[in-house]
Amino acid sequence: MRISEYKKVTKCRICKSSRLYKFLDYGSMPLANKFLEKSEFSDEKFYPLTCLFCKDCYLVQLGQVVSPKILFEDYPYVPSGSGVLMNDFNNLALEVDKRLNLSASSFVVDIGSNDGSLLSIFKNLGVRVLGIDPAHNLAKVAKDHGIATEVGLFNTKMAREIHRKFGQADLVCATNVVAHVDDVFEFLEAVSILLAQDGLFVCEFPYILDLVIKNEFDTIYHEHLSYFSLGSWQRLIKEAGFEIIDAKRVQIHGGSLRITNRLKKAETKPARRTINYLLWLEKQHGLTESETFGYFSDRVLKLKDEFTRAIHEVKVRDKRIVGLGAAAKASIVTNFFGLGPEAIDYIADSTPFKIGKYTPGKHIPIYSEEKVFFDKPDYCLIFAWNFADEIMRKYRKLRRKGTKFIVPIPEVKII
Ligand code: TMP
């Protein structure tokens, strides 16, 4: 195993405090979305993965930063494969359309636009759109679908260029992006350069409250540098010259926050009741106390014991287990719990980029979903538990024929 280059975090990303409490250590882990060809096994890179809690501004963050160039330039994640995710995007688009009353002259920019899934909805609403994404492979897919896309990491330089070329944006979206950004202040400065004075900045990210309550330890990986609460986001966004005008919990990715922000104005609106309620809820759940994260870590280690015992019991009975959904989460579960092809025959996935490759670290082969129907395994382990309902619906025939389904979190469940 080769431990590769990374930056160690010694100060909080938001408040620069060095009072950081380390609460979870995964050891050395591969990059969760780096699915490999067989020929790449010997060059695979591993990095430490630890979690820190800032005792001053309460931001949960990783203890190491891997270069975004390594993480995102060739990226296998495609949202358009999931009906649940497209539904979330639809809701987001209709919600902001109602709020901003978008028209043909409106300009919508999506940062981390991936294959253009969210922008295709805005395009259908008749507005001008531009995507920004560092992944060449996905930008090409977006462009092939008629979504103009700038390839690169979003920063102040790019924001100025886009502003000069296309004008100010009425709406800037960033779903599942800000948690991936190291220099969050530069990122927000870039958003403010691009955003019209009355424009909105809508972002969505996995919510630390859901992560803690539901034991979602497998959503912690090198790509996700920050795990925001509304409280830590509020502190960040205020310092960056924005204000929150709405915050809402949404179901996607195991529970996320959708936050509508705008540039700070002279007259501040009174905070919406939902904002105060969520801040209160976060306190109630101890998100401002380091002990909460110590307990979380204990629960994760207990889950590891229960899960590996359950898999062992299935394997001693000589039963076949197939994984469903080669999500990044699958990489975390298999590596942290020590499960390789001896336990999981293969993982089935709907993403063309992943089929034919192997999972990071444990090198479990990835096949298309059709194979599962043909093989009729004894057990299907749902790694992509965030799409469990959608996946179970797809495989309901197998369930009727006796295949059992294992869901790893919040606790091991066999259906
Ligand atoms: P994610 O949790 O990182 O979004 O990854 C989910 C993975 O699950 C992704 O690789 C696509 C895959 N998937 C299927 O294989 N079948 C499905 O029906 C769905 C919804 C997702």
Side-chain angles (χ1 to χ4, degrees):
M1 185 188 301
R2 236 172 63 195
I3 304 292
S4 299
E5 286 299 298
Y6 61 93
K7 199 171 86 187
K8 213 167 162 185
V9 172
T10 53
K11 286 199 160 75
C12 171
R13 177 163 298 114
I14 298 180
C15 73
K16 313 299 174 209
S17 164
S18 47
R19 297 200 321 132
L20 300 172
Y21 163 64
K22 181 165 114 183
F23 63 91
L24 192 54
D25 189 342
Y26 291 81
S28 289
M29 297 289 268
L31 299 178
N33 263 314
K34 284 281 177 236
F35 298 90
L36 317 130
E37 309 279 354
K38 230 180 199 159
S39 59
E40 295 170 310
F41 287 179
S42 56
D43 272 342
E44 191 169 19
K45 297 184 170 71
F46 289 77
Y47 303 82
L49 183 64
T50 56
C51 293
L52 310 171
F53 167 76
C54 173
K55 291 184 181 172
D56 288 307
C57 76
Y58 318 130
L59 178 69
V60 172
Q61 53 208 296
L62 289 193
Q64 36 286 126
V65 177
V66 176
S67 158
K69 272 193 177 318
I70 297 174
L71 287 169
F72 303 119
E73 275 190 353
D74 182 34
Y75 200 54
Y77 181 78
V78 196
S80 56
S82 158
V84 175
L85 198 50
M86 287 310 287
N87 197 31
D88 181 71
F89 284 169
N90 263 310
N91 290 340
L92 186 158
L94 296 178
E95 215 173 275
V96 268
D97 183 40
K98 199 162 141 200
R99 211 186 276 260
L100 278 173
N101 214 357
L102 297 169
S103 67
S105 62
S106 305
F107 181 40
V108 175
V109 174
D110 187 22
I111 306 170
S113 51
N114 202 287
D115 63 352
S117 299
L118 174 60
L119 287 180
S120 63
I121 302 167
F122 283 107
K123 199 173 171 213
N124 284 334
L125 289 172
V127 302
R128 288 187 302 138
V129 299
L130 178 72
I132 301 167
D133 203 287
H136 297 266
N137 59 326
L138 296 175
K140 183 176 176 315
V141 177
K143 285 181 195 167
D144 289 347
H145 287 103
I147 306 292
T149 306
E150 293 277 326
V151 180
L153 285 163
F154 183 65
N155 54 26
T156 47
K157 183 167 172 272
M158 186 189 269
R160 280 193 195 94
E161 271 166 28
I162 295 174
H163 184 214
R164 187 171 43 77
K165 270 207 262 180
F166 302 95
Q168 284 190 310
D170 302 284
L171 172 66
V172 174
C173 297
T175 59
N176 258 309
V177 176
V178 283
H180 300 58
V181 175
D182 186 17
D183 191 344
V184 279
F185 287 103
E186 213 237 330
F187 182 90
L188 291 171
E189 191 191 337
V191 173
S192 68
I193 290 169
L194 197 52
L195 196 62
Q197 206 50 39
D198 287 321
L200 294 181
F201 167 46
V202 176
C203 57
E204 230 175 71
F205 44 73
Y207 191 17
I208 183 72
L209 182 59
D210 287 292
L211 190 153
V212 168
I213 292 174
K214 295 181 242 167
N215 278 341
E216 295 169 354
F217 75 95
D218 53 352
T219 60
I220 296 176
Y221 42 85
H222 295 102
E223 287 166 30
H224 300 157
L225 298 175
S226 303
Y227 301 80
F228 293 104
S229 58
L230 183 61
S232 54
W233 178 259
Q234 193 176 42
R235 163 136 191 192
L236 166 66
I237 205 90
K238 258 189 190 165
E239 276 188 37
F242 288 80
E243 60 187 352
I244 301 173
I245 61 168
D246 203 1
K248 175 177 178 176
R249 290 178 85 172
V250 287
Q251 296 292 316
I252 202 72
H253 296 310
S256 297
L257 267 186
R258 181 184 299 156
I259 306 194
T260 308
N261 311 273
R262 68 173 186 184
L263 293 168
K264 195 158 171 47
K265 306 226 166 159
E267 76 320 333
T268 28
K269 275 193 186 172
R272 283 180 71 102
R273 274 167 48 202
T274 47
I275 297 176
N276 287 334
Y277 169 71
L278 285 174
L279 292 172
W280 172 82
L281 198 63
E282 288 177 0
K283 262 218 150 108
Q284 292 300 305
H285 280 90
L287 294 189
T288 51
E289 315 283 335
S290 40
E291 290 77 20
T292 305
F293 296 93
Y295 295 138
F296 170 73
S297 176
D298 293 345
R299 289 203 320 265
V300 172
L301 296 175
K302 193 164 156 257
L303 182 67
K304 179 177 179 176
D305 277 352
E306 287 169 3
F307 188 86
T308 40
R309 207 175 317 125
I311 297 292
H312 180 72
E313 278 165 18
V314 169
K315 291 312 285 182
V316 291
R317 287 189 286 122
D318 219 15
K319 301 286 182 195
R320 278 189 88 184
I321 307 176
V322 161
L324 298 183
K329 292 186 279 295
S331 308
I332 299 303
V333 172
T334 52
N335 283 283
F336 191 44
F337 289 0
L339 302 171
E342 72 297 338
I344 318 286
D345 288 20
Y346 60 91
I347 303 184
D349 198 281
S350 57
T351 318
F353 294 125
K354 295 183 185 175
I355 296 167
K357 294 197 171 173
Y358 294 82
T359 62
K362 291 294 173 190
H363 305 161
I364 301 170
I366 303 168
Y367 293 127
S368 72
E369 295 186 296
E370 287 74 41
K371 185 167 164 57
V372 188
F373 291 101
F374 185 76
D375 288 347
K376 302 185 191 68
D378 304 300
Y379 287 84
C380 281
L381 169 49
I382 305 185
F383 285 114
W385 47 257
N386 46 331
F387 300 120
D389 290 346
E390 197 171 342
I391 290 177
M392 296 271 278
R393 234 176 290 129
K394 196 180 270 179
Y395 291 96
R396 62 183 177 275
K397 265 195 194 152
L398 286 184
R399 206 174 148 200
R400 273 190 239 120
K401 287 189 175 144
T403 297
K404 293 202 164 67
F405 289 78
I406 310 173
V407 187
I409 69 146
E411 58 266 316
V412 189
K413 204 161 68 183
I414 300 184
I415 304 166

